[in-house]
Amino acid sequence: MITIILIVVLVPLILMSIISGIRIVGQYERAVLLRLGRFTGILQPGLNVVLPFGIDRTLFVEMRTTTIDVPRQDIITKDNVPVSIDAVVYFQVFDPQLAILNVENYRQATTLYAQTLLRSVLGSHDLDEMLTAREKLNLVLKEQLDKATDPWGIKVTGVEIKAVDLPEGMKRAMAKQAEAERERRAKVISAEGEYQASEKLLEAASVISQNPTGALLRILQTLTEIAVEKNSTILFPLPIEILSFFQGNGSIHDQNKKRDS
């Protein structure tokens, strides 16, 4: 009778202990095994059996790339401009033992350090660098954050600055600056066009001045272009060269008359 009671009591306890000692580790994670509080190894993916009743303790660690959305940080730039920065951090655990034993909460620690690093690094740069050299700043943040988290078994694969929010007054000032720059470029282009046109006109005048007939033909062409517009009244300046041209023709006509007589 006692034997039967022992069997009835012990068999369920043995089954429960075996079941409670089963650990299934996914392919994307690892489990740190602590036996009586001492690190004994890393459980690999698959079915693993550990000692029950709290003798063995398993702590699972995510091995896939994880993202941290860094909370918005208010920063004063090197040129004293207040801005708000949003960033995201990509990291991956490469050593589960270090991630568990060397830091209490590696995700929270990485997030807090990223916030501090974001303020310190970006606060030492001008606003123009934040807007134009964002890739360079991302690389600097990644290198420094990766160096700091290396003792925790964390590999930082990337840091991206998502947005740089400016005050409304600064946005209006930058818009005015951009508008003034566009106006400056337009005036420069217009002046260059006028200069090139004047050079071509000078060359044309030099060619026409070599033959008075060329000036007359140019005037007649201008009259033709004006006549196309069907204007009721045409005011056209008469150059002195035309008078001399006609005077020359008149003198030739008089000479021909004298020659005929």
Side-chain angles (χ1 to χ4, degrees):
M1 186 67 180
I2 297 175
T3 305
I4 297 175
I5 295 174
L6 290 176
I7 293 174
V8 173
V9 173
L10 292 177
V11 169
L13 290 176
I14 294 173
L15 292 177
M16 290 178 58
S17 64
I18 293 174
I19 294 174
S20 63
I22 294 176
R23 297 291 185 272
I24 298 177
V25 181
Q27 186 66 39
Y28 53 87
E29 61 186 358
R30 300 292 185 272
V32 177
L33 179 61
L34 301 178
R35 180 164 295 166
L36 297 177
R38 184 183 296 272
F39 172 77
T40 58
I42 303 295
L43 299 183
Q44 298 300 318
L47 180 64
N48 297 270
V49 178
V50 299
L51 298 179
F53 307 116
I55 298 175
D56 285 349
R57 182 185 177 193
T58 54
L59 302 174
F60 289 83
V61 179
E62 178 73 47
M63 300 299 293
R64 293 176 292 185
T65 300
T66 307
T67 60
I68 294 177
D69 192 4
V70 181
R72 174 168 295 192
Q73 301 296 309
D74 294 329
I75 300 172
I76 303 297
T77 63
K78 187 178 180 180
D79 50 351
N80 297 324
V81 179
V83 295
S84 297
I85 304 294
D86 286 334
V88 60
V89 176
Y90 301 88
F91 73 93
Q92 186 178 19
V93 177
F94 70 88
D95 193 335
Q97 179 182 352
L98 297 178
I100 294 298
L101 302 181
N102 287 9
V103 62
E104 180 181 359
N105 187 329
Y106 64 88
R107 183 182 180 89
Q108 182 181 8
T110 304
T111 302
L112 295 177
Y113 196 87
Q115 296 178 21
T116 304
L117 189 64
L118 195 67
R119 289 193 297 267
S120 61
V121 172
L122 298 184
S124 62
H125 291 78
D126 295 334
L127 177 62
D128 292 338
E129 291 179 322
M130 292 185 187
L131 298 177
T132 59
R134 187 173 297 183
E135 293 296 331
K136 178 181 177 181
L137 294 177
N138 289 340
L139 183 59
V140 172
L141 291 170
K142 172 185 172 297
E143 292 177 351
Q144 296 192 17
L145 186 58
D146 183 46
K147 183 178 179 181
T149 57
D150 189 70
W152 304 338
I154 304 297
K155 174 64 178 177
V156 177
T157 58
V159 178
E160 297 290 338
I161 299 175
K162 295 193 299 183
V164 179
D165 294 333
L166 304 175
E168 292 297 329
M170 182 59 64
K171 291 181 180 179
R172 290 193 294 268
M174 294 179 67
K176 291 181 180 179
Q177 180 182 1
E179 184 179 359
E181 178 65 18
R182 288 193 296 268
E183 291 180 356
R184 184 189 68 83
R185 292 180 182 179
K187 291 180 180 179
V188 169
I189 294 174
S190 178
E192 290 180 353
E194 292 291 339
Y195 178 74
Q196 294 177 4
S198 63
E199 287 184 340
K200 296 300 180 181
L201 289 174
L202 182 61
E203 293 177 3
S206 177
V207 173
I208 293 175
S209 64
Q210 296 178 5
N211 191 346
T213 306
L216 178 61
L217 292 175
R218 180 58 183 161
I219 292 172
L220 294 176
Q221 183 181 0
T222 304
L223 287 173
T224 303
E225 294 175 355
I226 295 175
V228 174
E229 299 297 331
K230 298 180 180 180
N231 294 326
S232 59
T233 303
I234 298 176
L235 297 178
F236 191 80
L238 186 65
I240 300 177
E241 288 79 0
I242 296 182
L243 297 178
S244 61
F245 177 79
F246 285 112
Q247 289 177 359
N249 288 342
S251 60
I252 293 174
H253 183 67
D254 294 339
Q255 289 178 5
N256 291 335
K257 279 186 176 182
K258 291 180 180 179
R259 186 178 300 173
D260 293 338
S261 60

